[in-house]
């Protein structure tokens, strides 16, 4: 079905291509553009609106990036369906705002450790040449020892033999999923989960099922019910400063979930990437269920985003499968990266950087909490972000689009929702990526102004 659709462009203080993309979103939301309807060609719409062809090209590209439309080459451009999780992940990682970015969730670059001095120290070391050799798939033993030492330091029992190096947490998850699942397997998770897991599930042809949760994490009874009704292969959870909801599972809830997993023989993948930021974290599911749980951690959140070093603590019976999966995916994590981590662990840099990051997050969380008074939100003194529940009438995607045309990027709940039953009236606001407190304030004021209907908030400037 074709359409003679043309947007009604209101007078906004925004770029024209963004106005067209916004009009597409509004008409989809109102039902004026139905799923599967073919839009006018870019040339047709440009002529209809009296604008440059390039403006419509950018507008369609932006609408496709948001998951509103899809291009099917010579067949044309169609409304929907929602973009895949891989596209969501790409959009989040590649987004480049005109003003203020509250969408990415990495640590502040301003507090990164001194790379220059570390490289000089490594260059003077006796093993420097070894860092350019092919490493064992599991990683050099010196680096596995460092990984185990770090895990034990943050309350996770580990031996060097049980720890395997990866090129970050996303690679760690891919290694585990490839080793432990087959196409068609069912994996379960919180109803809002890390988009990288959704992307992996799509890539590996796995079925994802959301398990209901409360403000303490996955509900054990709900997990038990899902496992009784379906053949579940694997549970993925992010129990310490959950991305995106900021939930920290208390000790009792972790024990209950481990008991359900044990009863049903589930493989558990416990993502503890944010654990190093917590001051006194609860013990892990892996401690309660060591022979069924893969624990994943990485340096990217605690130390530096570009330090692509991750660790998997694996059950003993799975060691060879992990090695085989590592060999298939990367032939070993880069030793130079791992040596940087080891150097910083040994000389105390990691502890110092984490302490500085905690101080920064606490200050920015305090600021956000004060500014968001009156709105339902969940923060945490050690978290890089806030989960903001929106007033009635707002979806996360709608707010994200409105904020973007005003120069602010946020990440909508739709990017994290495992299924369409999950409420989408929320956004994740990252607090430490804006380089200054003033830019963070401006971004938050823009979001708050939108939710309060304050038309004075047009374009954020930095």
């Amino acid at each position: 079905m074709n359409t003679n659709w043309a947007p009604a462009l209101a007078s906004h203080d925004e770029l024209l291509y963004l106005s067209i993309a916004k009009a597409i979103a509004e008409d989809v939301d109102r039902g004026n553009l139905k799923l599967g309807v073919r839009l006018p060609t870019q040339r047709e719409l440009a002529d209809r609106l009296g604008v440059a062809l390039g403006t419509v090209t950018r507008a369609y590209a932006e609408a496709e990036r948001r998951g509103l439309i899809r291009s099917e080459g010579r067949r044309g451009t169609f409304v929907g369906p929602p973009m895949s999780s891989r596209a969501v992940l790409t959009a989040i990682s590649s987004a480049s705002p005109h003003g203020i970015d509250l969408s990415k969730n990495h640590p502040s670059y301003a507090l990164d450790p001194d790379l220059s001095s570390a490289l000089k120290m490594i260059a003077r070391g006796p093993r420097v040449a070894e860092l350019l050799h092919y490493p064992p798939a599991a990683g050099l033993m010196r680096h596995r020892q460092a990984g185990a030492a770090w895990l034990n330091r943050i309350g996770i029992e580990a031996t060097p033999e049980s720890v395997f190096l990866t090129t970050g947490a996303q690679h760690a998850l891919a290694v585990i999923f490839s080793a432990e699942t087959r196409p068609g397997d069912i994996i379960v998770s919180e109803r809002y989960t890390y988009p990288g897991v959704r992307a992996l599930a799509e890539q590996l042809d796995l079925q994802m099922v959301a398990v209901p949760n409360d403000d303490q994490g996955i509900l054990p009874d709900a997990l038990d019910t899902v496992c009784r009704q379906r053949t579940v292969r694997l549970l993925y959870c992010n129990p310490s400063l959950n991305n995106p909801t900021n939930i920290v599972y208390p000790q009792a809830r972790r024990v209950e979930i481990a008991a359900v997993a044990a009863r049903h023989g589930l493989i558990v993948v416990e993502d503890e990437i944010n654990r190093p930021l917590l001051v006194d974290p609860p013990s892990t599911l892996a401690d309660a269920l060591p022979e069924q749980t893969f624990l994943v951690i990485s340096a990217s959140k605690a130390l530096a985003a570009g330090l692509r070093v991750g660790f998997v603590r694996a059950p003993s019976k799975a060691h060879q499968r992990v090695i085989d999966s590592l060999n298939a995916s990367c032939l070993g994590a880069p030793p130079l990266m791992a040596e940087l981590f080891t150097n910083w662990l040994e000389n105390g840099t990691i502890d110092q950087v984490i302490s500085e990051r905690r101080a920064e997050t606490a200050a920015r969380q305090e600021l956000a909490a004060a500014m968001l008074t009156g709105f339902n939100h969940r923060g945490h003194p050690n978290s890089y972000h806030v989960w903001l529940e929106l007033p009635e009438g707002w979806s996360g995607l709608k707010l994200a689009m409105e904020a973007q045309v005003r120069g602010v990027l946020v990440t909508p709940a739709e990017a994290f929702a495992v299924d369409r039953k999950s409420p989408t009236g929320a956004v994740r606001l990252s607090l430490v990526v804006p380089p200054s407190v003033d830019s963070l304030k401006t971004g938050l004021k823009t979001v708050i102004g939108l939710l309060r209907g304050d038309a004075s908030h047009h374009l954020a400037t930095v």
Side-chain angles (χ1 to χ4, degrees), residues 137-138 164-182 196 200 203-204 206 234 267 269 294-296 310-314 318-333:
F164 300 82
L165 265 74
T166 65
T167 58
Q170 180 68 16
H171 178 228
L173 295 172
V175 165
I176 297 166
F177 281 32
S178 296
E180 298 296 326
T181 65
R182 297 293 178 268
L200 278 173
Q203 188 172 36
L204 298 175
L206 306 173
L234 181 149
I267 296 168
V269 178
F294 294 81
L295 187 141
V296 173
F311 302 98
V312 175
R313 197 199 82 168
H319 286 186
Q320 189 57 51
R321 291 195 298 275
V322 171
I323 289 173
D324 292 343
S325 189
L326 283 164
N327 270 320
S329 62
C330 76
L331 294 177

Side-chain angles (χ1 to χ4, degrees), residues 106-107 169 273 298-309 384:
H106 59 72
I273 191 170
S298 128
S300 64
K301 288 292 191 287
L303 194 55
L307 188 66
R308 309 309 300 162
V309 177
Y384 294 148

Side-chain angles (χ1 to χ4, degrees), residues 39-52:
L39 291 171
T41 67
Q42 294 175 19
R43 173 67 68 186
E44 288 172 344
L45 188 58
D47 291 343
R48 200 170 294 168
L49 296 176
V51 301

Side-chain angles (χ1 to χ4, degrees), residues 105-108 111-112 150-151 153-156 238-243 246 248 254 271-282 296-305 349-362 365 380-385 431-432:
N105 203 33
H106 59 72
S108 168
L111 297 179
D112 284 351
W150 192 42
L151 290 173
R153 188 178 297 182
I154 58 176
I156 301 168
N238 178 207
S240 298
L241 295 176
N242 172 270
N243 180 17
N246 266 333
V248 178
R254 297 178 190 231
D271 186 343
E272 286 282 350
I273 191 170
N274 291 313
R275 182 182 182 86
L277 299 171
L278 289 172
V279 174
D280 187 21
V296 173
I297 199 165
S298 128
S300 64
K301 288 292 191 287
L303 194 55
T349 296
I350 289 180
D351 293 336
Q352 178 184 345
V353 170
I354 290 175
S355 177
E356 292 171 352
R357 295 202 184 285
R358 286 173 180 163
E360 180 191 48
T361 57
Q365 285 283 347
H380 189 285
N382 303 131
S383 173
Y384 294 148
H385 68 271
L431 305 181
V432 301

